Structures are given as C-alpha cells and as structure tokens.
Amino acid sequence: MGIRRNKGWELRESEATPESAFVHRRSLVGAIAAGPILVSALGSATAGNGDPSAGLYPAKRNARYTLDRPLTDEKLATAYNNFYEFGSQKSIADEAQALKLRPWTIKIDGLVEKPMTLDMDDLLRRMPFEERLYRHRCVEAWSMAVPWSGFAMAAFVDFAKPLGSAKYVRMETFLDPTTAPGQKQVWYPWPYIEGLTIAEAGNELAFLVTGMYGKPVPKQNGAPLRLVLPWKYGFKSAKSIVRFSFTDKRPVSFWEALASNEYGFWANVNPAVPHPRWSQAEERVLGTNERRPTLKWNGYGEFVAHLYDGLQGERLFV
Ligand SMILES: Nc1nc2c(c(=O)[nH]1)N[C@H]1C(S)=C(S)[C@@H](COP(=O)(O)O)O[C@H]1N2
Ligand SMILES: [Mo]
C-alpha cells in the first residue's frame, strides 16, 4: 500500500490500518505459500445460539465504571471487527460463525501452584459475574463504547495461584486453520499471543469477557472468552483465549512479533505519542461523525497510572 503523508487527521481511515498495511506487503511474498482460501460456513451473526451460558445474562451492571459518551450501537460493534484469524477486513462476522464454542477448554500453566485444564463453563461458574461499560480505543484511531459482561481478571489470577516468581501472564488464542482461514496465512505468527505484567493483570480494570450487550459475546467479538483492557490499544485485548501461561519472561505478542518497530509490549493509549505512521491525538467515534481528542490511558489514568511509575524510559505507547 502506498503511504501518503498527511497532517494528523487528514489521514483517511483506510490508511490508519497498520495490520492491513502489513498484509498487503507480506501477502505478495506469502501468497504462493498460503494456498487456496477455503470458503467458510456462513451462519447467522446472532449471539447466544446454542450457548450453554446464555441463561446467565444479563449480568448485574457494576456502576463504578461510567462512560462519557453513548454506547455504540450493538449492530455496529458486532459487525465492525478486527479478528485476523478470520480475515484482515472489518466484516468477518459471517466467517467467524465457523468457530465451535463447545467444548472449550482453558489451560492454565507455567509458574503456578498447580497447572490445570478446565472447561469454560466450569471456570465461569467459579468467577464473580458482572457487566461493565468501557470505552475501547483501537490503535487504528477509532473508538467505541460497549457493555461487556464477564469477570475481573484479578479473580482469575487468584484462582490460577501464580508462584511468586511469575512476573507476566501470557494469553494464547485458539489455533485451528480449518475453522479460521486467516491462520493459513503463513506470514503471520499464529497463534495470536498477548501478555501483561502480573500487576496489570491484577488491576481492577482488566476484564475477562464472556458477554456483550447483555448476551453471550458473539463469535466475531471473541467468544467464548476474551480479554478487555480499556486503557490499552485494542490489539492487547486477545480474543477466543484457550491458554494462560504464567512466566518470568516478557511475552512477545502477535503484533510485536510482526512489526516490533510499530507495536510493543505496553501499548497504553497515549495521544502524545504518534504511531510511526499516523497521529493518535484524536479518534473517530464509531457510528458518529465525531472526532474526539484521545485521552491518555484512554481516560482511565486514575485506575492505572501508578502501574507505570518508574517506567518512563520504556516505550510505553506501542
Ligand atoms: N485473537 C485475536 N484477538 C484480537 C484481534 C485479532 O485479530 N485476533 N484483534 C485485536 C484488535 S486490533 C482489536 S481493535 C480488538 C477488536 O475487538 P472487537 O472486534 O470486539 O471490537 O480485538 C483484538 N483482539
Ligand atoms: Mo485494534
């Protein structure tokens, strides 16, 4: 893709797509190796079909987390997605219906008292369940506001019983190229990986999501279990997680492995630090014509600023 230089927000949406820029460059190299792309089964994009957890919804809303803007329309938030396992375009909802949600097992391993594998519904039953309204800011400079349901990641970390030597938690998305044709694209470092420090994972804002808009989270939004970290760029919020590993080594995430000059470990929302290819000063609010100034830590500084004391020398933004 030709990069046209613009001043700040003259940038077109189509140019603020770091991931796509990579696809276009790399696909020229990788196209031959990738082989044919299978056409996936089409299905309805409706949430809740056949999901055994459907009866849990809606969860009671936690009033502590408030918004400064209206909620994004459900239809938009469930149709405009980033989920590269199903393609690099925003409309992957139909393709994502190929994902099979049960059985779904979660593996907990690494530096923990007792490694284990447990069933998704078993985990859900043990966790405190609630709804929270959060802003979401993608590194591509668009944002939305969503009612998520799920449980605090802090409760999950307590349950996993990490050893004192664990400094990070590494999350891994499912790997199954037969249901996720994007995973046949060999130039990507599948599976999708993300990581947090133990302090970040234990922060009250870190939320493991199983639901959205008072229903089970749709497949295209990362069913049956995804992360939501409202103070970080959206790519940190890994979808369809199957494994949590506690470790003393900083995990290298999917996007960092692909483009370490553009994406790094911390990825805290910061309007003062531009992405190497565009400004982060403002965001396009999905479903409106509005552009708002982006807030540091996406407006969640009161909850998370202390996590980064003494880390000013780090590349906190990417
Ligand atoms: N496994 C996986 N998780 C992912 C992604 C992805 O491609 N694969 N995209 C990330 C990005 S860039 C964003 S902005 C959010 C989008 O979440 P949404 O589609 O629910 O809005 O998911 C994140 N989690
Ligand atoms: Mo994103």
Side-chain angles (χ1 to χ4, degrees):
M1 177 203 312
I3 310 268
R4 187 168 62 88
R5 287 278 157 216
N6 293 303
K7 279 195 255 100
W9 269 104
E10 289 168 34
L11 187 71
R12 285 201 314 259
E13 171 82 4
S14 60
E15 290 175 294
T17 49
E19 296 90 348
S20 305
F22 260 86
V23 176
H24 291 307
R25 249 176 281 143
R26 297 216 174 191
S27 57
L28 296 174
V29 182
I32 296 159
I37 307 282
L38 297 183
V39 177
S40 61
L42 294 184
S44 123
T46 314
N49 292 343
D51 186 322
S53 71
L56 290 174
Y57 298 87
K60 191 175 174 338
R61 184 171 296 176
N62 184 335
R64 185 167 159 80
Y65 309 104
T66 55
L67 294 176
D68 57 353
R69 60 196 73 178
L71 286 173
T72 302
D73 185 57
E74 178 182 353
K75 284 205 183 69
L76 189 55
T78 57
Y80 186 89
N81 302 106
N82 274 332
F83 203 168
Y84 275 68
E85 284 81 345
F86 295 100
S88 55
Q89 70 282 19
K90 292 288 182 281
S91 51
I92 49 75
D94 284 343
E95 286 78 0
Q97 301 317 305
L99 184 61
K100 225 177 131 247
L101 298 185
R102 296 294 188 282
W104 192 277
T105 49
I106 308 287
K107 191 171 182 178
I108 302 172
D109 64 2
L111 302 172
V112 289
E113 279 182 20
K114 202 163 135 268
M116 64 177 124
T117 299
L118 78 168
D119 183 68
M120 175 65 215
D121 298 295
D122 198 19
L123 174 66
L124 194 48
R125 268 192 298 277
R126 293 161 194 254
M127 294 289 118
F129 192 52
E130 63 183 59
E131 181 180 75
R132 297 184 181 187
L133 311 183
Y134 277 167
R135 294 182 295 274
H136 172 95
R137 171 61 157 79
C138 176
V139 78
E140 297 163 349
W142 52 264
S143 69
M144 55 181 187
V146 173
W148 302 108
S149 321
F151 47 90
M153 190 169 190
F156 175 80
V157 172
D158 283 350
F159 171 75
K161 296 196 176 60
L163 301 177
S165 51
K167 294 190 172 61
Y168 302 94
V169 55
R170 174 188 182 276
M171 275 78 57
E172 191 176 308
T173 294
F174 75 87
L175 180 63
D176 180 7
T178 59
T179 52
Q183 293 183 334
K184 293 190 205 271
Q185 300 182 319
V186 294
W187 55 92
Y188 286 116
W190 306 113
Y192 199 95
I193 302 293
E194 260 309 336
L196 294 170
T197 64
I198 295 287
E200 289 177 321
N203 183 272
E204 66 169 282
L205 289 184
F207 202 47
L208 280 165
V209 158
T210 61
M212 193 179 181
Y213 294 91
K215 288 170 279 192
V217 67
K219 294 177 180 181
Q220 64 271 25
N221 291 89
L225 184 67
R226 70 169 294 177
L227 193 55
V228 168
L229 305 163
W231 74 101
K232 291 182 179 283
Y233 289 119
F235 69 87
K236 294 292 295 182
S237 295
K239 294 178 165 182
S240 305
I241 300 171
V242 293
R243 184 178 176 193
F244 295 84
S245 306
F246 290 82
T247 166
D248 56 5
K249 289 183 196 63
R250 185 187 287 188
V252 177
S253 71
F254 179 83
W255 290 110
E256 188 181 358
L258 200 57
S260 62
N261 56 328
E262 301 194 354
Y263 309 104
F265 178 75
W266 299 101
N268 293 318
V269 175
N270 190 343
V273 181
H275 182 278
R277 291 187 277 127
W278 59 84
S279 167
Q280 295 290 20
E282 292 180 43
E283 62 206 51
R284 186 174 68 93
V285 181
L286 280 196
T288 74
N289 293 321
E290 200 190 348
R291 278 175 182 170
R292 293 179 73 114
T294 285
L295 303 171
K296 192 168 185 186
W297 291 300
N298 202 21
Y300 293 100
E302 60 176 307
F303 299 102
V304 297
H306 67 274
L307 293 171
Y308 307 103
D309 286 345
L311 289 175
Q312 280 70 16
E314 293 269 327
R315 293 168 72 222
L316 286 175
F317 50 99
V318 284

